[in-house]
Amino acid sequence: MTDFSQTRSQFDLPEGMIYLNGNSLGPMPRDSVGAMTSFLNDEWRTELIKGWNTKDWFMQTNTLGDRVGRLIGAPAGTTVVGDTLSIKVFQAVAAGMAMVPDRKVILSDNGNFPTDLYMVEGLMKLKDAGYELRIPDPEAVLDGITEEVGVVMITEVDYRTGRRHDMKAVIDKAHAAGAVVVWDLAHSAGAVPVDVGGLDTDFAIGCTYKYLNGGPGAPAFIHVAPRLLETVEPFLSGWYGHEAPFAFDTDYRPMPGRIERMRIGTPSIASFALLSAALDIWDQVDMDALHRKSVELSELFIREVEARCPGLHLISPRDAQTRGSHVSFAFEHGYACMQALIADNVIGDFRAPDVMRFGITPLFIGEADILGAVDRLERILKEELWKEERFQKRSLVT
């Protein structure tokens, strides 16, 4: 069992704040300050360049990768961290395209996070070889998997609605059709149980600044199926993935048979220090227990909002097993209403055109937070506080 009162005590949340936005940026673990101070004083300051050996900086891509990998069901030695999620999208899709060079269709869906689609568009322009990106409705993805498709690139949990794809169904159909599958787990890792190993996932990518609490701009991760590690083409061929990085050869040779071949360039060790502190909390967490608690709190939130907040309409799936760990409601004046909520110290977020999104993260959210958030939302709607002029102005980041 996971002690959620214990995990909550390990986060440094402002007094009085109800934070329902861990699906966008996780809050700071209390140990983050000590971890960064230790990195500055006991590693960088004292070790300088020696730290690559004495503090094992060089292999933290892998050691941290395995700790993230546990949360997505990845076997040891198949996950590394580094770079950004956008770069990992590019890297994984490019590797998938190289595996089926005769197929020119990349299939995604119109609920995918836009940057994933942007990266594929850029990759297709770079290839300049007649590729096509298809983006049907999420519900039509399975029907869209045909023998024309080379790569299926899907985000398991829809960033806007929280709808979950059936990973097994997509993988089984794609593999039967001869296609490669790339899963974006940005809204899955640390939110719902995932079993990339058991499902024979080809590639999985994700970020660590949302549910995993690694901090703003925390590194991304990439998982590659063990059966592909000998042959997968890195495409972005940086020195950190070379077979012999310190031989300084002028020709690139990827690390044979190991996940290191998917490393690219020198990572941020300072970011790794923060991520490691966050993963210390996750090392205490059972994902099945977390999911059960998430469902319990999400169901409570939905019931309370629907009973007390007229005008809001649930757009997340009602079936908890087909929903991630955030709940979304549509409201005509969603942006202004969310700004009023934030001003009242309930932090959710807004997604165009009218979506109010609430992350349900049991590591630091409990029943009292859920009820308190709905109390404040009910008052804002009843008194029409969202109509105030100060809540109408759009900020740079919404």
Side-chain angles (χ1 to χ4, degrees), residues 123-170:
L123 178 56
M124 291 192 303
K125 289 178 183 178
L126 184 65
K127 290 277 191 180
D128 192 22
Y131 281 92
E132 174 189 355
L133 173 62
R134 294 179 184 171
I135 49 171
D137 293 337
E139 296 79 6
V141 164
L142 281 174
D143 290 338
I145 300 174
T146 67
E147 294 189 354
E148 293 179 282
V149 175
V151 178
V152 179
M153 179 197 65
I154 300 291
T155 297
E156 189 209 2
V157 176
D158 188 302
Y159 79 100
R160 195 178 275 123
T161 67
R163 178 193 184 276
R164 288 180 73 183
H165 278 281
D166 184 335
M167 287 184 69
K168 184 178 188 307
V170 171

mmCIF file of all heavy atoms in Angstrom, residues 123-170:
data_model
loop_
_atom_site.group_PDB
_atom_site.id
_atom_site.type_symbol
_atom_site.label_atom_id
_atom_site.label_comp_id
_atom_site.label_asym_id
_atom_site.label_seq_id
_atom_site.Cartn_x
_atom_site.Cartn_y
_atom_site.Cartn_z
ATOM 1 N N LEU A 123 9.559 16.932 -39.463
ATOM 2 C CA LEU A 123 10.296 15.746 -39.885
ATOM 3 C C LEU A 123 9.939 15.361 -41.310
ATOM 4 O O LEU A 123 10.813 15.009 -42.115
ATOM 5 C CB LEU A 123 10.001 14.595 -38.916
ATOM 6 C CG LEU A 123 10.640 13.236 -39.209
ATOM 7 C CD1 LEU A 123 12.152 13.341 -39.307
ATOM 8 C CD2 LEU A 123 10.246 12.247 -38.111
ATOM 9 N N MET A 124 8.670 15.449 -41.652
ATOM 10 C CA MET A 124 8.248 15.113 -43.019
ATOM 11 C C MET A 124 8.850 16.087 -44.034
ATOM 12 O O MET A 124 9.267 15.684 -45.118
ATOM 13 C CB MET A 124 6.731 15.121 -43.120
ATOM 14 C CG MET A 124 6.049 13.993 -42.350
ATOM 15 S SD MET A 124 4.287 13.800 -42.732
ATOM 16 C CE MET A 124 3.650 15.425 -42.363
ATOM 17 N N LYS A 125 8.900 17.367 -43.672
ATOM 18 C CA LYS A 125 9.525 18.342 -44.571
ATOM 19 C C LYS A 125 11.006 18.036 -44.752
ATOM 20 O O LYS A 125 11.559 18.155 -45.861
ATOM 21 C CB LYS A 125 9.342 19.754 -44.022
ATOM 22 C CG LYS A 125 7.917 20.268 -44.097
ATOM 23 C CD LYS A 125 7.815 21.669 -43.487
ATOM 24 C CE LYS A 125 6.386 22.164 -43.501
ATOM 25 N NZ LYS A 125 6.263 23.511 -42.854
ATOM 26 N N LEU A 126 11.661 17.650 -43.675
ATOM 27 C CA LEU A 126 13.079 17.321 -43.737
ATOM 28 C C LEU A 126 13.321 16.110 -44.629
ATOM 29 O O LEU A 126 14.253 16.086 -45.441
ATOM 30 C CB LEU A 126 13.603 17.052 -42.325
ATOM 31 C CG LEU A 126 15.099 16.788 -42.175
ATOM 32 C CD1 LEU A 126 15.894 18.030 -42.567
ATOM 33 C CD2 LEU A 126 15.430 16.390 -40.745
ATOM 34 N N LYS A 127 12.465 15.106 -44.478
ATOM 35 C CA LYS A 127 12.584 13.899 -45.304
ATOM 36 C C LYS A 127 12.273 14.198 -46.769
ATOM 37 O O LYS A 127 12.902 13.643 -47.669
ATOM 38 C CB LYS A 127 11.620 12.831 -44.785
ATOM 39 C CG LYS A 127 12.013 12.226 -43.441
ATOM 40 C CD LYS A 127 13.024 11.125 -43.619
ATOM 41 C CE LYS A 127 13.225 10.331 -42.348
ATOM 42 N NZ LYS A 127 14.217 9.244 -42.520
ATOM 43 N N ASP A 128 11.255 15.046 -47.006
ATOM 44 C CA ASP A 128 10.858 15.446 -48.353
ATOM 45 C C ASP A 128 10.712 14.230 -49.272
ATOM 46 O O ASP A 128 11.272 14.166 -50.356
ATOM 47 C CB ASP A 128 11.887 16.428 -48.942
ATOM 48 C CG ASP A 128 11.375 17.090 -50.219
ATOM 49 O OD1 ASP A 128 10.139 17.133 -50.409
ATOM 50 O OD2 ASP A 128 12.210 17.552 -51.015
ATOM 51 N N ALA A 129 9.930 13.240 -48.785
ATOM 52 C CA ALA A 129 9.810 11.987 -49.540
ATOM 53 C C ALA A 129 8.362 11.536 -49.647
ATOM 54 O O ALA A 129 8.072 10.336 -49.676
ATOM 55 C CB ALA A 129 10.656 10.897 -48.877
ATOM 56 N N GLY A 130 7.437 12.508 -49.697
ATOM 57 C CA GLY A 130 6.040 12.162 -49.944
ATOM 58 C C GLY A 130 5.298 11.594 -48.752
ATOM 59 O O GLY A 130 4.337 10.836 -48.925
ATOM 60 N N TYR A 131 5.700 11.975 -47.522
ATOM 61 C CA TYR A 131 5.003 11.468 -46.340
ATOM 62 C C TYR A 131 3.681 12.205 -46.124
ATOM 63 O O TYR A 131 3.516 13.355 -46.531
ATOM 64 C CB TYR A 131 5.877 11.615 -45.092
ATOM 65 C CG TYR A 131 6.932 10.543 -44.987
ATOM 66 C CD1 TYR A 131 8.209 10.729 -45.504
ATOM 67 C CD2 TYR A 131 6.638 9.329 -44.371
ATOM 68 C CE1 TYR A 131 9.175 9.739 -45.412
ATOM 69 C CE2 TYR A 131 7.597 8.333 -44.275
ATOM 70 C CZ TYR A 131 8.860 8.547 -44.787
ATOM 71 O OH TYR A 131 9.804 7.548 -44.704
ATOM 72 N N GLU A 132 2.753 11.514 -45.451
ATOM 73 C CA GLU A 132 1.439 12.068 -45.157
ATOM 74 C C GLU A 132 1.129 11.834 -43.681
ATOM 75 O O GLU A 132 1.319 10.733 -43.162
ATOM 76 C CB GLU A 132 0.374 11.382 -46.016
ATOM 77 C CG GLU A 132 -1.047 11.788 -45.687
ATOM 78 C CD GLU A 132 -2.087 10.933 -46.398
ATOM 79 O OE1 GLU A 132 -1.711 10.074 -47.222
ATOM 80 O OE2 GLU A 132 -3.284 11.117 -46.102
ATOM 81 N N LEU A 133 0.641 12.892 -43.008
ATOM 82 C CA LEU A 133 0.209 12.779 -41.625
ATOM 83 C C LEU A 133 -1.309 12.769 -41.591
ATOM 84 O O LEU A 133 -1.958 13.704 -42.065
ATOM 85 C CB LEU A 133 0.737 13.961 -40.799
ATOM 86 C CG LEU A 133 0.230 14.071 -39.360
ATOM 87 C CD1 LEU A 133 0.648 12.850 -38.540
ATOM 88 C CD2 LEU A 133 0.739 15.359 -38.707
ATOM 89 N N ARG A 134 -1.878 11.710 -41.041
ATOM 90 C CA ARG A 134 -3.326 11.607 -40.920
ATOM 91 C C ARG A 134 -3.726 11.792 -39.461
ATOM 92 O O ARG A 134 -3.151 11.169 -38.573
ATOM 93 C CB ARG A 134 -3.815 10.250 -41.432
ATOM 94 C CG ARG A 134 -3.598 10.051 -42.930
ATOM 95 C CD ARG A 134 -4.074 8.691 -43.401
ATOM 96 N NE ARG A 134 -3.758 8.494 -44.816
ATOM 97 C CZ ARG A 134 -3.904 7.332 -45.466
ATOM 98 N NH1 ARG A 134 -4.365 6.254 -44.811
ATOM 99 N NH2 ARG A 134 -3.604 7.243 -46.750
ATOM 100 N N ILE A 135 -4.742 12.624 -39.223
ATOM 101 C CA ILE A 135 -5.169 12.898 -37.841
ATOM 102 C C ILE A 135 -6.693 12.770 -37.733
ATOM 103 O O ILE A 135 -7.398 13.773 -37.636
ATOM 104 C CB ILE A 135 -4.672 14.276 -37.357
ATOM 105 C CG1 ILE A 135 -4.991 15.383 -38.374
ATOM 106 C CG2 ILE A 135 -3.186 14.244 -37.078
ATOM 107 C CD1 ILE A 135 -4.702 16.782 -37.829
ATOM 108 N N PRO A 136 -7.206 11.558 -37.701
ATOM 109 C CA PRO A 136 -8.643 11.358 -37.514
ATOM 110 C C PRO A 136 -9.048 11.667 -36.078
ATOM 111 O O PRO A 136 -8.206 11.940 -35.217
ATOM 112 C CB PRO A 136 -8.813 9.866 -37.821
ATOM 113 C CG PRO A 136 -7.512 9.261 -37.403
ATOM 114 C CD PRO A 136 -6.475 10.280 -37.775
ATOM 115 N N ASP A 137 -10.354 11.594 -35.819
ATOM 116 C CA ASP A 137 -10.818 11.681 -34.443
ATOM 117 C C ASP A 137 -10.221 10.531 -33.630
ATOM 118 O O ASP A 137 -9.965 9.448 -34.172
ATOM 119 C CB ASP A 137 -12.342 11.592 -34.385
ATOM 120 C CG ASP A 137 -13.026 12.799 -35.007
ATOM 121 O OD1 ASP A 137 -12.388 13.868 -35.084
ATOM 122 O OD2 ASP A 137 -14.200 12.667 -35.411
ATOM 123 N N PRO A 138 -10.005 10.724 -32.325
ATOM 124 C CA PRO A 138 -9.425 9.650 -31.515
ATOM 125 C C PRO A 138 -10.187 8.334 -31.623
ATOM 126 O O PRO A 138 -9.584 7.256 -31.638
ATOM 127 C CB PRO A 138 -9.492 10.220 -30.092
ATOM 128 C CG PRO A 138 -9.437 11.695 -30.276
ATOM 129 C CD PRO A 138 -10.192 11.966 -31.534
ATOM 130 N N GLU A 139 -11.508 8.423 -31.698
ATOM 131 C CA GLU A 139 -12.328 7.212 -31.769
ATOM 132 C C GLU A 139 -12.143 6.451 -33.077
ATOM 133 O O GLU A 139 -12.519 5.273 -33.174
ATOM 134 C CB GLU A 139 -13.813 7.572 -31.607
ATOM 135 C CG GLU A 139 -14.170 8.170 -30.266
ATOM 136 C CD GLU A 139 -13.819 9.654 -30.140
ATOM 137 O OE1 GLU A 139 -13.400 10.260 -31.152
ATOM 138 O OE2 GLU A 139 -13.949 10.200 -29.025
ATOM 139 N N ALA A 140 -11.542 7.090 -34.087
ATOM 140 C CA ALA A 140 -11.385 6.462 -35.397
ATOM 141 C C ALA A 140 -9.973 5.937 -35.649
ATOM 142 O O ALA A 140 -9.675 5.465 -36.745
ATOM 143 C CB ALA A 140 -11.764 7.465 -36.491
ATOM 144 N N VAL A 141 -9.113 6.015 -34.624
ATOM 145 C CA VAL A 141 -7.718 5.607 -34.820
ATOM 146 C C VAL A 141 -7.604 4.144 -35.225
ATOM 147 O O VAL A 141 -6.877 3.793 -36.168
ATOM 148 C CB VAL A 141 -6.882 5.894 -33.555
ATOM 149 C CG1 VAL A 141 -5.560 5.135 -33.584
ATOM 150 C CG2 VAL A 141 -6.606 7.388 -33.436
ATOM 151 N N LEU A 142 -8.303 3.267 -34.531
ATOM 152 C CA LEU A 142 -8.193 1.835 -34.853
ATOM 153 C C LEU A 142 -8.596 1.563 -36.295
ATOM 154 O O LEU A 142 -7.924 0.795 -37.000
ATOM 155 C CB LEU A 142 -9.052 1.000 -33.896
ATOM 156 C CG LEU A 142 -8.465 0.748 -32.512
ATOM 157 C CD1 LEU A 142 -9.476 0.040 -31.616
ATOM 158 C CD2 LEU A 142 -7.185 -0.077 -32.599
ATOM 159 N N ASP A 143 -9.654 2.192 -36.758
ATOM 160 C CA ASP A 143 -10.076 2.008 -38.155
ATOM 161 C C ASP A 143 -9.046 2.575 -39.124
ATOM 162 O O ASP A 143 -8.959 2.128 -40.274
ATOM 163 C CB ASP A 143 -11.427 2.688 -38.399
ATOM 164 C CG ASP A 143 -12.574 1.967 -37.694
ATOM 165 O OD1 ASP A 143 -12.419 0.768 -37.379
ATOM 166 O OD2 ASP A 143 -13.614 2.612 -37.441
ATOM 167 N N GLY A 144 -8.273 3.559 -38.665
ATOM 168 C CA GLY A 144 -7.277 4.181 -39.544
ATOM 169 C C GLY A 144 -5.989 3.402 -39.687
ATOM 170 O O GLY A 144 -5.142 3.750 -40.515
ATOM 171 N N ILE A 145 -5.816 2.360 -38.891
ATOM 172 C CA ILE A 145 -4.587 1.556 -38.975
ATOM 173 C C ILE A 145 -4.736 0.551 -40.109
ATOM 174 O O ILE A 145 -5.416 -0.469 -39.980
ATOM 175 C CB ILE A 145 -4.300 0.840 -37.643
ATOM 176 C CG1 ILE A 145 -4.119 1.859 -36.511
ATOM 177 C CG2 ILE A 145 -3.034 -0.016 -37.769
ATOM 178 C CD1 ILE A 145 -3.962 1.240 -35.132
ATOM 179 N N THR A 146 -4.113 0.874 -41.220
ATOM 180 C CA THR A 146 -4.151 0.016 -42.406
ATOM 181 C C THR A 146 -2.723 -0.329 -42.815
ATOM 182 O O THR A 146 -1.751 0.136 -42.192
ATOM 183 C CB THR A 146 -4.854 0.733 -43.566
ATOM 184 O OG1 THR A 146 -4.021 1.854 -43.969
ATOM 185 C CG2 THR A 146 -6.221 1.264 -43.140
ATOM 186 N N GLU A 147 -2.584 -1.102 -43.860
ATOM 187 C CA GLU A 147 -1.254 -1.495 -44.329
ATOM 188 C C GLU A 147 -0.533 -0.366 -45.045
ATOM 189 O O GLU A 147 0.617 -0.530 -45.461
ATOM 190 C CB GLU A 147 -1.354 -2.745 -45.199
ATOM 191 C CG GLU A 147 -1.806 -3.970 -44.400
ATOM 192 C CD GLU A 147 -1.715 -5.261 -45.180
ATOM 193 O OE1 GLU A 147 -1.407 -5.208 -46.391
ATOM 194 O OE2 GLU A 147 -1.951 -6.330 -44.573
ATOM 195 N N GLU A 148 -1.168 0.781 -45.198
ATOM 196 C CA GLU A 148 -0.485 1.975 -45.698
ATOM 197 C C GLU A 148 0.350 2.635 -44.603
ATOM 198 O O GLU A 148 1.313 3.351 -44.885
ATOM 199 C CB GLU A 148 -1.492 3.013 -46.184
ATOM 200 C CG GLU A 148 -2.294 2.678 -47.401
ATOM 201 C CD GLU A 148 -3.246 3.815 -47.717
ATOM 202 O OE1 GLU A 148 -4.296 3.926 -47.055
ATOM 203 O OE2 GLU A 148 -2.907 4.622 -48.616
ATOM 204 N N VAL A 149 -0.041 2.431 -43.373
ATOM 205 C CA VAL A 149 0.528 3.174 -42.238
ATOM 206 C C VAL A 149 1.878 2.589 -41.839
ATOM 207 O O VAL A 149 2.007 1.382 -41.624
ATOM 208 C CB VAL A 149 -0.442 3.167 -41.047
ATOM 209 C CG1 VAL A 149 0.199 3.823 -39.826
ATOM 210 C CG2 VAL A 149 -1.745 3.877 -41.415
ATOM 211 N N GLY A 150 2.864 3.473 -41.709
ATOM 212 C CA GLY A 150 4.177 3.048 -41.245
ATOM 213 C C GLY A 150 4.347 3.234 -39.751
ATOM 214 O O GLY A 150 4.838 2.359 -39.052
ATOM 215 N N VAL A 151 3.938 4.422 -39.254
ATOM 216 C CA VAL A 151 4.105 4.754 -37.844
ATOM 217 C C VAL A 151 2.773 5.251 -37.283
ATOM 218 O O VAL A 151 2.119 6.109 -37.883
ATOM 219 C CB VAL A 151 5.185 5.835 -37.638
ATOM 220 C CG1 VAL A 151 5.302 6.208 -36.161
ATOM 221 C CG2 VAL A 151 6.538 5.358 -38.170
ATOM 222 N N VAL A 152 2.394 4.700 -36.143
ATOM 223 C CA VAL A 152 1.236 5.184 -35.388
ATOM 224 C C VAL A 152 1.793 5.947 -34.183
ATOM 225 O O VAL A 152 2.498 5.370 -33.355
ATOM 226 C CB VAL A 152 0.343 4.020 -34.919
ATOM 227 C CG1 VAL A 152 -0.846 4.558 -34.123
ATOM 228 C CG2 VAL A 152 -0.131 3.192 -36.106
ATOM 229 N N MET A 153 1.507 7.240 -34.106
ATOM 230 C CA MET A 153 2.021 8.081 -33.027
ATOM 231 C C MET A 153 0.846 8.619 -32.218
ATOM 232 O O MET A 153 0.082 9.454 -32.701
ATOM 233 C CB MET A 153 2.842 9.247 -33.582
ATOM 234 C CG MET A 153 3.374 10.172 -32.491
ATOM 235 S SD MET A 153 3.926 11.781 -33.104
ATOM 236 C CE MET A 153 2.409 12.511 -33.713
ATOM 237 N N ILE A 154 0.700 8.109 -31.000
ATOM 238 C CA ILE A 154 -0.486 8.405 -30.213
ATOM 239 C C ILE A 154 -0.086 8.835 -28.799
ATOM 240 O O ILE A 154 0.808 8.248 -28.195
ATOM 241 C CB ILE A 154 -1.396 7.157 -30.107
ATOM 242 C CG1 ILE A 154 -1.856 6.696 -31.503
ATOM 243 C CG2 ILE A 154 -2.595 7.421 -29.213
ATOM 244 C CD1 ILE A 154 -2.821 7.632 -32.186
ATOM 245 N N THR A 155 -0.778 9.844 -28.274
ATOM 246 C CA THR A 155 -0.684 10.159 -26.851
ATOM 247 C C THR A 155 -1.758 9.355 -26.141
ATOM 248 O O THR A 155 -2.945 9.484 -26.466
ATOM 249 C CB THR A 155 -0.881 11.662 -26.599
ATOM 250 O OG1 THR A 155 0.180 12.389 -27.238
ATOM 251 C CG2 THR A 155 -0.865 11.967 -25.111
ATOM 252 N N GLU A 156 -1.345 8.530 -25.169
ATOM 253 C CA GLU A 156 -2.316 7.623 -24.553
ATOM 254 C C GLU A 156 -3.456 8.372 -23.881
ATOM 255 O O GLU A 156 -4.629 8.010 -24.037
ATOM 256 C CB GLU A 156 -1.633 6.720 -23.509
ATOM 257 C CG GLU A 156 -2.581 5.624 -23.032
ATOM 258 C CD GLU A 156 -2.330 5.146 -21.625
ATOM 259 O OE1 GLU A 156 -1.434 5.668 -20.943
ATOM 260 O OE2 GLU A 156 -3.067 4.226 -21.191
ATOM 261 N N VAL A 157 -3.150 9.415 -23.119
ATOM 262 C CA VAL A 157 -4.177 10.198 -22.431
ATOM 263 C C VAL A 157 -4.291 11.557 -23.110
ATOM 264 O O VAL A 157 -3.317 12.311 -23.164
ATOM 265 C CB VAL A 157 -3.842 10.370 -20.935
ATOM 266 C CG1 VAL A 157 -4.873 11.272 -20.256
ATOM 267 C CG2 VAL A 157 -3.770 9.018 -20.236
ATOM 268 N N ASP A 158 -5.456 11.852 -23.627
ATOM 269 C CA ASP A 158 -5.714 13.112 -24.321
ATOM 270 C C ASP A 158 -5.498 14.281 -23.364
ATOM 271 O O ASP A 158 -6.092 14.346 -22.285
ATOM 272 C CB ASP A 158 -7.156 13.109 -24.835
ATOM 273 C CG ASP A 158 -7.479 14.272 -25.743
ATOM 274 O OD1 ASP A 158 -7.321 15.440 -25.296
ATOM 275 O OD2 ASP A 158 -7.900 14.046 -26.890
ATOM 276 N N TYR A 159 -4.640 15.216 -23.763
ATOM 277 C CA TYR A 159 -4.270 16.321 -22.873
ATOM 278 C C TYR A 159 -5.454 17.222 -22.541
ATOM 279 O O TYR A 159 -5.488 17.871 -21.499
ATOM 280 C CB TYR A 159 -3.139 17.157 -23.486
ATOM 281 C CG TYR A 159 -3.587 18.140 -24.547
ATOM 282 C CD1 TYR A 159 -3.761 19.491 -24.260
ATOM 283 C CD2 TYR A 159 -3.840 17.723 -25.854
ATOM 284 C CE1 TYR A 159 -4.168 20.382 -25.231
ATOM 285 C CE2 TYR A 159 -4.243 18.602 -26.829
ATOM 286 C CZ TYR A 159 -4.411 19.934 -26.522
ATOM 287 O OH TYR A 159 -4.818 20.808 -27.484
ATOM 288 N N ARG A 160 -6.454 17.250 -23.406
ATOM 289 C CA ARG A 160 -7.577 18.159 -23.186
ATOM 290 C C ARG A 160 -8.715 17.462 -22.416
ATOM 291 O O ARG A 160 -9.190 17.973 -21.408
ATOM 292 C CB ARG A 160 -8.094 18.677 -24.542
ATOM 293 C CG ARG A 160 -8.995 19.883 -24.425
ATOM 294 C CD ARG A 160 -9.450 20.394 -25.788
ATOM 295 N NE ARG A 160 -8.494 21.295 -26.388
ATOM 296 C CZ ARG A 160 -7.925 21.126 -27.578
ATOM 297 N NH1 ARG A 160 -8.191 20.053 -28.289
ATOM 298 N NH2 ARG A 160 -7.097 22.029 -28.060
ATOM 299 N N THR A 161 -9.128 16.278 -22.873
ATOM 300 C CA THR A 161 -10.304 15.620 -22.295
ATOM 301 C C THR A 161 -9.972 14.551 -21.263
ATOM 302 O O THR A 161 -10.839 14.157 -20.484
ATOM 303 C CB THR A 161 -11.141 14.949 -23.387
ATOM 304 O OG1 THR A 161 -10.399 13.844 -23.948
ATOM 305 C CG2 THR A 161 -11.495 15.941 -24.493
ATOM 306 N N GLY A 162 -8.741 14.028 -21.283
ATOM 307 C CA GLY A 162 -8.388 12.930 -20.396
ATOM 308 C C GLY A 162 -8.763 11.564 -20.942
ATOM 309 O O GLY A 162 -8.543 10.545 -20.276
ATOM 310 N N ARG A 163 -9.310 11.495 -22.149
ATOM 311 C CA ARG A 163 -9.678 10.214 -22.754
ATOM 312 C C ARG A 163 -8.443 9.336 -22.953
ATOM 313 O O ARG A 163 -7.420 9.802 -23.447
ATOM 314 C CB ARG A 163 -10.350 10.440 -24.109
ATOM 315 C CG ARG A 163 -10.732 9.159 -24.846
ATOM 316 C CD ARG A 163 -11.100 9.466 -26.293
ATOM 317 N NE ARG A 163 -11.551 8.273 -27.009
ATOM 318 C CZ ARG A 163 -10.750 7.393 -27.590
ATOM 319 N NH1 ARG A 163 -9.432 7.553 -27.517
ATOM 320 N NH2 ARG A 163 -11.234 6.339 -28.230
ATOM 321 N N ARG A 164 -8.546 8.054 -22.589
ATOM 322 C CA ARG A 164 -7.432 7.111 -22.757
ATOM 323 C C ARG A 164 -7.651 6.216 -23.964
ATOM 324 O O ARG A 164 -8.731 5.651 -24.147
ATOM 325 C CB ARG A 164 -7.285 6.206 -21.523
ATOM 326 C CG ARG A 164 -6.748 6.875 -20.298
ATOM 327 C CD ARG A 164 -6.634 5.896 -19.143
ATOM 328 N NE ARG A 164 -5.524 4.962 -19.310
ATOM 329 C CZ ARG A 164 -5.254 3.981 -18.462
ATOM 330 N NH1 ARG A 164 -6.021 3.779 -17.392
ATOM 331 N NH2 ARG A 164 -4.218 3.190 -18.660
ATOM 332 N N HIS A 165 -6.608 6.075 -24.755
ATOM 333 C CA HIS A 165 -6.627 5.071 -25.810
ATOM 334 C C HIS A 165 -6.420 3.690 -25.203
ATOM 335 O O HIS A 165 -5.793 3.540 -24.139
ATOM 336 C CB HIS A 165 -5.505 5.343 -26.826
ATOM 337 C CG HIS A 165 -5.840 6.384 -27.843
ATOM 338 N ND1 HIS A 165 -6.630 6.137 -28.940
ATOM 339 C CD2 HIS A 165 -5.475 7.690 -27.933
ATOM 340 C CE1 HIS A 165 -6.742 7.221 -29.675
ATOM 341 N NE2 HIS A 165 -6.054 8.193 -29.086
ATOM 342 N N ASP A 166 -6.901 2.684 -25.886
ATOM 343 C CA ASP A 166 -6.664 1.293 -25.507
ATOM 344 C C ASP A 166 -5.314 0.888 -26.093
ATOM 345 O O ASP A 166 -5.210 0.567 -27.279
ATOM 346 C CB ASP A 166 -7.787 0.407 -26.050
ATOM 347 C CG ASP A 166 -7.671 -1.055 -25.621
ATOM 348 O OD1 ASP A 166 -6.542 -1.508 -25.324
ATOM 349 O OD2 ASP A 166 -8.709 -1.741 -25.607
ATOM 350 N N MET A 167 -4.261 0.927 -25.272
ATOM 351 C CA MET A 167 -2.920 0.689 -25.784
ATOM 352 C C MET A 167 -2.789 -0.690 -26.417
ATOM 353 O O MET A 167 -2.194 -0.842 -27.487
ATOM 354 C CB MET A 167 -1.884 0.865 -24.664
ATOM 355 C CG MET A 167 -1.639 2.296 -24.260
ATOM 356 S SD MET A 167 -0.316 2.489 -23.021
ATOM 357 C CE MET A 167 1.136 2.053 -23.982
ATOM 358 N N LYS A 168 -3.340 -1.701 -25.764
ATOM 359 C CA LYS A 168 -3.207 -3.061 -26.286
ATOM 360 C C LYS A 168 -3.881 -3.195 -27.647
ATOM 361 O O LYS A 168 -3.318 -3.786 -28.583
ATOM 362 C CB LYS A 168 -3.802 -4.075 -25.315
ATOM 363 C CG LYS A 168 -3.604 -5.533 -25.754
ATOM 364 C CD LYS A 168 -4.161 -6.507 -24.746
ATOM 365 C CE LYS A 168 -3.778 -7.948 -25.104
ATOM 366 N NZ LYS A 168 -4.133 -8.333 -26.476
ATOM 367 N N ALA A 169 -5.080 -2.644 -27.774
ATOM 368 C CA ALA A 169 -5.800 -2.748 -29.042
ATOM 369 C C ALA A 169 -5.042 -2.057 -30.171
ATOM 370 O O ALA A 169 -4.934 -2.592 -31.288
ATOM 371 C CB ALA A 169 -7.201 -2.163 -28.898
ATOM 372 N N VAL A 170 -4.499 -0.874 -29.870
ATOM 373 C CA VAL A 170 -3.752 -0.135 -30.904
ATOM 374 C C VAL A 170 -2.480 -0.889 -31.291
ATOM 375 O O VAL A 170 -2.174 -1.053 -32.481
ATOM 376 C CB VAL A 170 -3.418 1.284 -30.405
ATOM 377 C CG1 VAL A 170 -2.457 1.986 -31.364
ATOM 378 C CG2 VAL A 170 -4.698 2.102 -30.238
#
